[in-house]
């Protein structure tokens, strides 16, 4: 099983988020196969699936916490850690990788002080390693939110990230 990176950012769900989750649970509690739509809704509501939310889902859907956790760690659309205001994604597909994506990832991690899959303490940045994003001609590629930066070098990383600080 893949190593799960734990966050040091405490869970801070709101009453409104909790109400929205309980509403979704009520809608799907007796629906066969309803666990996945509830988990997707929870991910949309909270932005990630912390253990506190997984417990609510497990109780509400009358399944084990292990079942919820298993699904959350199996499907890549779910994340167990909060995502930053600015999502920095580095393409690790073949074209990007052979053109230096590994070194660019290291430079991003050094600049932000976090590893891939983590979020900065202030919640401003998170790093995501992705597979091919379809911009092979621009390799290596990173995205910050929906902004694409292609043919970048390690020297450009600090300048790109500075725009979002």
């Amino acid at each position: 099983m893949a190593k799960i990176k734990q966050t040091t950012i405490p869970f801070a769900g709101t009453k409104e988020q909790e109400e929205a989750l309980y509403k979704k649970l009520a809608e799907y509690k007796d629906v066969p196969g309803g666990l996945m739509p509830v988990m997707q809704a929870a991910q949309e509501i909270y932005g990630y699936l912390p253990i506190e939310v997984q417990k609510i889902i497990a109780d509400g859907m009358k399944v084990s916490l292990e079942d919820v956790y298993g699904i959350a760690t199996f499907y890549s659309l779910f994340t167990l850690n909060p995502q930053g205001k600015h999502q920095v994604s580095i393409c690790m597909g073949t074209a990007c990788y052979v053109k230096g994506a590994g070194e660019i990832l290291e430079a991003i991690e050094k600049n932000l002080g976090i590893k891939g899959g983590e979020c900065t303490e202030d919640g401003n940045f998170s790093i995501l390693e992705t597979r091919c994003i379809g911009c092979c001609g621009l390799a290596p590629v990173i995205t910050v939110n929906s902004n694409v930066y292609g043919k970048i070098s390690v020297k450009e990383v600090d300048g790109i990230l500075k725009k979002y600080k």
Side-chain angles (χ1 to χ4, degrees):
M1 178 163 38
K3 180 182 173 193
I4 304 301
K5 296 175 176 109
Q6 295 298 325
T7 181
T8 57
I9 299 171
F11 175 65
T14 66
K15 184 76 172 154
E16 292 79 15
Q17 288 172 317
E18 189 174 313
E19 288 171 0
L21 178 56
Y22 279 113
K23 183 178 178 184
K24 196 55 74 171
L25 283 165
E27 182 181 340
Y28 282 96
K29 70 178 180 164
D30 296 320
V31 175
L35 181 56
M36 188 67 120
V38 167
M39 291 178 66
Q40 290 170 321
Q43 174 96 8
E44 288 177 27
I45 292 166
Y46 291 95
Y48 70 117
L49 295 176
I51 191 68
E52 296 85 352
V53 171
Q54 291 177 58
K55 287 176 182 176
I56 293 170
I57 293 169
D59 290 344
M61 295 300 290
K62 298 189 181 353
V63 298
S64 71
L65 179 57
E66 291 80 6
D67 286 343
V68 174
Y69 180 81
I71 292 170
T73 56
F74 180 79
Y75 292 102
S76 63
L77 68 107
F78 296 119
T79 179
L80 303 182
N81 291 315
Q83 300 301 296
K85 175 182 173 186
H86 301 294
Q87 178 80 46
V88 181
S89 300
I90 176 75
C91 178
M92 298 300 277
T94 303
C96 288
Y97 189 80
V98 299
K99 294 217 174 180
E103 293 83 16
I104 292 168
L105 173 61
E106 288 175 12
I108 293 168
E109 290 174 337
K110 182 178 178 186
N111 179 293
L112 298 177
I114 58 173
K115 296 290 184 188
E118 296 178 343
C119 184
T120 56
E121 289 289 329
D122 63 4
N124 202 31
F125 289 94
S126 55
I127 302 173
L128 178 66
E129 297 174 48
T130 65
R131 296 296 162 236
C132 184
I133 62 170
C135 295
C136 300
L138 297 176
V141 174
I142 69 168
T143 61
V144 182
N145 304 329
S146 60
N147 300 312
V148 177
Y149 298 90
K151 296 186 178 183
I152 67 164
S153 67
V154 169
K155 292 184 279 186
E156 296 172 273
V157 168
D158 290 345
I160 291 169
L161 296 176
K162 187 176 182 178
K163 296 176 188 178
Y164 300 90
K165 290 186 177 179

